[in-house]
Amino acid sequence: MGCAVEQTATSTTVRGPPRGELRALDDIDMEPMTDAFLTAAVLAAVATGAGGTTRIRGIANQHVKECDRIEAMCTELARFGVAATGSADGIDVRAQPIGALRPEAPSVHCYDDHRVAMSLSVLACVAPGGAEIRERRCVGKTWPQWWDVLARDLGAPVHGTDPAEAEEAPAAAAADASVVIIGMRGVGKTTLGRMAARELELAFVDLDELLEQDVGQTIPEIINGSGWPAFREHETRVLEMALTSTHRTGAVVACGGG
Protein backbone atom coordinates (compact mmCIF):
# COMPACT_ATOMS: atom_id res chain seq x y z
CA MET A 1 0.00 0.00 0.00
CA GLY A 2 3.05 2.24 -0.14
CA CYS A 3 4.06 2.08 3.53
CA ALA A 4 7.53 1.51 4.91
CA VAL A 5 7.64 -1.29 7.48
CA GLU A 6 10.48 -1.95 9.91
CA GLN A 7 10.47 -5.00 12.15
CA THR A 8 12.69 -6.00 15.04
CA ALA A 9 12.48 -8.88 17.46
CA THR A 10 10.13 -6.87 19.67
CA SER A 11 8.42 -4.23 17.54
CA THR A 12 6.90 -3.28 14.21
CA THR A 13 7.07 0.30 12.94
CA VAL A 14 4.91 1.42 10.02
CA ARG A 15 5.42 4.73 8.22
CA GLY A 16 2.71 5.70 5.79
CA PRO A 17 3.19 7.45 2.45
CA PRO A 18 2.29 11.13 2.02
CA ARG A 19 -1.37 11.93 2.62
CA GLY A 20 -3.56 10.65 -0.18
CA GLU A 21 -0.95 8.31 -1.67
CA LEU A 22 -1.97 4.94 -0.25
CA ARG A 23 -2.10 2.30 -2.98
CA ALA A 24 -4.89 -0.23 -3.46
CA LEU A 25 -4.18 -3.96 -3.27
CA ASP A 26 -5.59 -5.92 -6.19
CA ASP A 27 -6.05 -9.07 -4.12
CA ILE A 28 -5.17 -9.87 -0.52
CA ASP A 29 -5.82 -13.11 1.37
CA MET A 30 -6.51 -12.22 5.02
CA GLU A 31 -7.46 -15.72 6.18
CA PRO A 32 -4.57 -15.83 8.71
CA MET A 33 -5.80 -12.61 10.39
CA THR A 34 -9.46 -12.19 9.51
CA ASP A 35 -10.34 -9.78 12.35
CA ALA A 36 -7.92 -7.23 10.91
CA PHE A 37 -9.86 -6.90 7.66
CA LEU A 38 -11.91 -4.00 9.07
CA THR A 39 -8.79 -1.86 9.48
CA ALA A 40 -7.59 -2.88 6.03
CA ALA A 41 -10.99 -1.93 4.61
CA VAL A 42 -10.92 1.62 5.98
CA LEU A 43 -7.39 2.10 4.64
CA ALA A 44 -8.58 0.73 1.31
CA ALA A 45 -11.39 3.29 1.36
CA VAL A 46 -8.87 6.06 0.58
CA ALA A 47 -6.21 3.96 -1.23
CA THR A 48 -6.74 5.45 -4.67
CA GLY A 49 -3.41 4.44 -6.20
CA ALA A 50 -2.87 1.31 -8.34
CA GLY A 51 -6.40 1.14 -9.69
CA GLY A 52 -8.26 2.18 -6.56
CA THR A 53 -10.05 -1.11 -5.80
CA THR A 54 -8.84 -3.38 -3.02
CA ARG A 55 -10.11 -6.96 -2.96
CA ILE A 56 -9.95 -8.74 0.40
CA ARG A 57 -10.52 -12.50 0.53
CA GLY A 58 -10.46 -15.34 3.07
CA ILE A 59 -12.71 -13.67 5.65
CA ALA A 60 -15.89 -15.77 5.46
CA ASN A 61 -16.01 -16.14 9.26
CA GLN A 62 -16.52 -12.38 9.59
CA HIS A 63 -20.15 -12.85 8.56
CA VAL A 64 -20.78 -14.44 11.98
CA LYS A 65 -18.85 -12.37 14.50
CA GLU A 66 -20.40 -9.82 16.90
CA CYS A 67 -22.34 -8.82 13.80
CA ASP A 68 -22.08 -9.54 10.08
CA ARG A 69 -18.97 -7.42 9.81
CA ILE A 70 -18.72 -7.62 6.04
CA GLU A 71 -22.25 -6.31 5.59
CA ALA A 72 -21.68 -3.75 8.35
CA MET A 73 -18.58 -2.35 6.64
CA CYS A 74 -20.36 -2.11 3.28
CA THR A 75 -23.21 -0.19 4.93
CA GLU A 76 -21.10 2.15 7.04
CA LEU A 77 -18.44 2.89 4.39
CA ALA A 78 -21.29 4.03 2.15
CA ARG A 79 -22.09 6.73 4.71
CA PHE A 80 -18.66 8.21 3.95
CA GLY A 81 -19.29 7.97 0.20
CA VAL A 82 -17.22 4.83 -0.33
CA ALA A 83 -18.69 1.94 -2.33
CA ALA A 84 -17.98 -1.57 -1.11
CA THR A 85 -19.38 -4.92 -2.17
CA GLY A 86 -19.44 -7.96 0.07
CA SER A 87 -19.31 -11.61 -0.94
CA ALA A 88 -19.40 -14.96 0.82
CA ASP A 89 -15.64 -14.85 1.32
CA GLY A 90 -14.62 -11.21 1.17
CA ILE A 91 -15.18 -7.56 0.34
CA ASP A 92 -14.23 -5.26 -2.55
CA VAL A 93 -13.61 -1.64 -1.59
CA ARG A 94 -13.56 1.08 -4.27
CA ALA A 95 -11.53 3.97 -2.95
CA GLN A 96 -12.33 7.66 -2.99
CA PRO A 97 -9.79 10.48 -2.75
CA ILE A 98 -9.84 11.93 0.76
CA GLY A 99 -11.21 15.23 -0.53
CA ALA A 100 -14.09 13.40 -2.25
CA LEU A 101 -15.41 11.79 0.93
CA ARG A 102 -18.73 13.23 1.98
CA PRO A 103 -18.21 16.66 3.57
CA GLU A 104 -20.88 16.21 6.24
CA ALA A 105 -20.15 14.10 9.30
CA PRO A 106 -21.94 10.74 8.95
CA SER A 107 -23.58 9.15 11.96
CA VAL A 108 -21.96 5.73 12.12
CA HIS A 109 -23.71 2.70 13.60
CA CYS A 110 -21.29 0.28 15.29
CA TYR A 111 -23.58 -2.74 15.78
CA ASP A 112 -22.22 -2.93 19.33
CA ASP A 113 -18.99 -4.25 17.76
CA HIS A 114 -15.70 -2.94 19.10
CA ARG A 115 -13.78 -3.53 15.87
CA VAL A 116 -16.35 -1.71 13.76
CA ALA A 117 -16.13 1.30 16.08
CA MET A 118 -12.34 1.44 16.20
CA SER A 119 -11.77 0.94 12.47
CA LEU A 120 -14.34 3.50 11.34
CA SER A 121 -12.97 6.04 13.82
CA VAL A 122 -9.65 5.82 11.93
CA LEU A 123 -11.42 6.71 8.68
CA ALA A 124 -13.22 9.56 10.48
CA CYS A 125 -9.80 11.07 11.24
CA VAL A 126 -9.29 11.94 7.56
CA ALA A 127 -12.92 12.46 6.49
CA PRO A 128 -13.57 16.17 5.81
CA GLY A 129 -16.40 16.32 8.34
CA GLY A 130 -15.20 13.63 10.70
CA ALA A 131 -17.97 11.32 11.96
CA GLU A 132 -20.24 10.67 14.89
CA ILE A 133 -19.42 7.20 16.23
CA ARG A 134 -22.49 5.89 18.01
CA GLU A 135 -22.31 3.22 20.74
CA ARG A 136 -18.79 4.35 21.58
CA ARG A 137 -18.71 2.26 24.76
CA CYS A 138 -18.55 -0.99 22.78
CA VAL A 139 -14.74 -0.62 22.55
CA GLY A 140 -14.65 -1.60 26.21
CA LYS A 141 -14.66 -5.25 25.16
CA THR A 142 -10.99 -5.14 24.11
CA TRP A 143 -9.61 -1.58 24.46
CA PRO A 144 -11.49 0.62 26.94
CA GLN A 145 -8.89 3.38 26.56
CA TRP A 146 -9.21 3.54 22.75
CA TRP A 147 -10.76 7.02 22.58
CA ASP A 148 -8.10 8.39 24.95
CA VAL A 149 -5.33 6.82 22.86
CA LEU A 150 -6.86 8.18 19.65
CA ALA A 151 -6.91 11.70 21.09
CA ARG A 152 -3.78 11.76 23.25
CA ASP A 153 -1.33 9.59 21.32
CA LEU A 154 -2.58 9.91 17.75
CA GLY A 155 -3.69 13.54 17.99
CA ALA A 156 -7.23 13.04 16.69
CA PRO A 157 -9.79 15.70 17.71
CA VAL A 158 -12.20 13.57 19.74
CA HIS A 159 -15.22 14.98 21.54
CA GLY A 160 -17.51 12.82 23.65
CA THR A 161 -21.25 13.13 23.13
CA ASP A 162 -24.34 11.39 24.37
CA PRO A 163 -27.26 11.86 21.95
CA ALA A 164 -30.61 12.01 23.68
CA GLU A 165 -31.77 8.76 22.11
CA ALA A 166 -28.73 6.95 23.50
CA GLU A 167 -29.74 7.99 27.01
CA GLU A 168 -33.12 6.30 26.83
CA ALA A 169 -32.95 3.28 29.12
CA PRO A 170 -34.51 0.04 27.89
CA ALA A 171 -37.72 -1.02 29.51
CA ALA A 172 -37.06 -2.96 32.68
CA ALA A 173 -37.86 -6.64 32.59
CA ALA A 174 -40.40 -8.02 35.01
CA ALA A 175 -38.83 -9.23 38.22
CA ASP A 176 -39.94 -12.78 37.50
CA ALA A 177 -39.13 -12.74 33.75
CA SER A 178 -37.65 -15.97 32.44
CA VAL A 179 -33.94 -16.17 31.62
CA VAL A 180 -33.08 -17.37 28.09
CA ILE A 181 -29.73 -19.00 27.34
CA ILE A 182 -28.49 -19.06 23.74
CA GLY A 183 -25.26 -20.27 22.14
CA MET A 184 -23.75 -22.67 19.66
CA ARG A 185 -23.93 -26.44 20.04
CA GLY A 186 -21.88 -28.03 22.79
CA VAL A 187 -21.05 -24.87 24.75
CA GLY A 188 -22.89 -25.94 27.91
CA LYS A 189 -26.31 -24.27 27.68
CA THR A 190 -28.11 -27.19 29.30
CA THR A 191 -25.49 -27.74 32.02
CA LEU A 192 -25.28 -24.06 32.95
CA GLY A 193 -29.04 -23.66 32.61
CA ARG A 194 -29.69 -26.41 35.15
CA MET A 195 -27.16 -24.86 37.54
CA ALA A 196 -28.70 -21.39 37.14
CA ALA A 197 -32.22 -22.72 37.63
CA ARG A 198 -31.18 -24.51 40.82
CA GLU A 199 -29.43 -21.42 42.25
CA LEU A 200 -32.25 -19.05 41.26
CA GLU A 201 -34.95 -21.51 42.35
CA LEU A 202 -36.60 -21.40 38.94
CA ALA A 203 -37.96 -24.10 36.65
CA PHE A 204 -35.58 -25.39 33.99
CA VAL A 205 -36.80 -25.80 30.42
CA ASP A 206 -34.77 -27.47 27.67
CA LEU A 207 -36.25 -26.19 24.42
CA ASP A 208 -35.18 -29.31 22.50
CA GLU A 209 -37.04 -31.52 24.98
CA LEU A 210 -40.06 -29.22 24.84
CA LEU A 211 -40.05 -29.42 21.04
CA GLU A 212 -39.92 -33.21 21.05
CA GLN A 213 -42.81 -33.36 23.51
CA ASP A 214 -44.84 -30.92 21.42
CA VAL A 215 -44.27 -32.63 18.07
CA GLY A 216 -44.28 -36.20 19.38
CA GLN A 217 -41.02 -37.08 17.60
CA THR A 218 -37.33 -36.91 18.39
CA ILE A 219 -35.33 -34.21 16.66
CA PRO A 220 -33.51 -36.73 14.39
CA GLU A 221 -36.91 -38.17 13.41
CA ILE A 222 -38.22 -34.71 12.53
CA ILE A 223 -35.15 -33.85 10.45
CA ASN A 224 -35.00 -37.23 8.68
CA GLY A 225 -38.71 -37.27 8.00
CA SER A 226 -39.48 -33.63 7.22
CA GLY A 227 -36.13 -31.90 6.67
CA TRP A 228 -34.28 -29.03 8.32
CA PRO A 229 -36.71 -26.26 7.24
CA ALA A 230 -39.61 -28.03 8.96
CA PHE A 231 -37.51 -28.55 12.10
CA ARG A 232 -36.61 -24.83 12.17
CA GLU A 233 -40.29 -23.94 11.84
CA HIS A 234 -41.13 -26.18 14.80
CA GLU A 235 -38.23 -24.71 16.77
CA THR A 236 -39.37 -21.13 16.14
CA ARG A 237 -42.99 -21.93 17.00
CA VAL A 238 -42.11 -23.70 20.25
CA LEU A 239 -39.73 -20.90 21.28
CA GLU A 240 -42.46 -18.33 20.70
CA MET A 241 -44.92 -20.44 22.67
CA ALA A 242 -42.49 -20.75 25.57
CA LEU A 243 -41.62 -17.04 25.74
CA THR A 244 -45.12 -15.66 25.26
CA SER A 245 -47.21 -18.23 27.08
CA THR A 246 -46.10 -21.38 28.86
CA HIS A 247 -42.75 -20.23 30.29
CA ARG A 248 -42.92 -16.45 30.04
CA THR A 249 -41.95 -16.13 33.69
CA GLY A 250 -40.28 -18.16 36.40
CA ALA A 251 -37.97 -20.30 34.25
CA VAL A 252 -34.51 -20.70 32.81
CA VAL A 253 -34.93 -21.63 29.14
CA ALA A 254 -32.00 -23.27 27.32
CA CYS A 255 -32.42 -22.91 23.55
CA GLY A 256 -31.21 -25.32 20.91
CA GLY A 257 -28.01 -24.66 19.00
CA GLY A 258 -29.90 -23.17 16.07
Side-chain angles (χ1 to χ4, degrees):
M1 301 188 83
C3 301
V5 181
E6 299 176 8
Q7 288 187 307
T8 70
T10 58
S11 68
T12 299
T13 302
V14 180
R15 293 182 176 84
R19 183 183 178 91
E21 295 186 17
L22 278 173
R23 296 197 300 268
L25 297 173
D26 181 61
D27 190 85
I28 176 173
D29 181 2
M30 295 195 69
E31 192 277 332
M33 49 187 305
T34 58
D35 282 347
F37 102 87
L38 298 94
T39 305
V42 300
L43 296 178
V46 292
T48 53
T53 297
T54 294
R55 297 173 177 84
I56 300 174
R57 298 290 177 265
I59 57 170
N61 69 334
Q62 295 296 310
H63 281 297
V64 288
K65 289 288 188 170
E66 283 82 344
C67 65
D68 184 336
R69 286 174 170 170
I70 295 175
E71 181 179 347
M73 292 304 288
C74 290
T75 299
E76 302 310 316
L77 286 174
R79 301 187 195 279
F80 290 88
V82 177
T85 304
S87 65
D89 188 46
I91 185 172
D92 294 352
V93 181
R94 291 176 286 284
Q96 289 280 7
I98 291 174
L101 296 175
R102 288 182 177 162
E104 68 277 6
S107 182
V108 175
H109 179 45
C110 295
Y111 307 85
D112 202 26
D113 189 321
H114 54 131
R115 293 188 184 274
V116 173
M118 290 188 284
S119 61
L120 290 171
S121 68
V122 172
L123 182 58
C125 289
V126 298
E132 177 193 48
I133 309 293
R134 293 158 59 192
E135 308 153 72
R136 71 175 191 268
R137 292 180 179 86
C138 65
V139 301
K141 178 175 182 179
T142 51
W143 200 347
Q145 300 82 22
W146 167 249
W147 304 115
D148 294 331
V149 171
L150 191 64
R152 182 188 65 239
D153 299 342
L154 301 180
V158 176
H159 306 284
T161 179
D162 286 294
E165 60 270 21
E167 293 299 315
E168 296 178 3
D176 59 349
S178 290
V179 177
V180 181
I181 301 178
I182 64 173
M184 293 184 288
R185 294 176 61 187
V187 297
K189 298 183 296 297
T190 298
T191 300
L192 292 174
R194 292 187 188 281
M195 294 169 61
R198 183 170 60 250
E199 292 296 322
L200 298 172
E201 299 183 348
L202 298 174
F204 174 72
V205 178
D206 185 301
L207 201 70
D208 286 344
E209 293 179 0
L210 191 65
L211 186 153
E212 291 180 337
Q213 293 169 9
D214 182 83
V215 178
Q217 292 179 294
T218 66
I219 289 175
E221 288 172 345
I222 297 170
I223 295 170
N224 292 333
S226 304
W228 280 99
F231 167 65
R232 293 302 185 207
E233 290 178 7
H234 285 306
E235 192 174 42
T236 302
R237 178 181 55 79
V238 172
L239 174 63
E240 183 176 11
M241 176 182 69
L243 297 185
T244 61
S245 178
T246 58
H247 298 93
R248 188 165 173 265
T249 60
V252 175
V253 180
C255 292

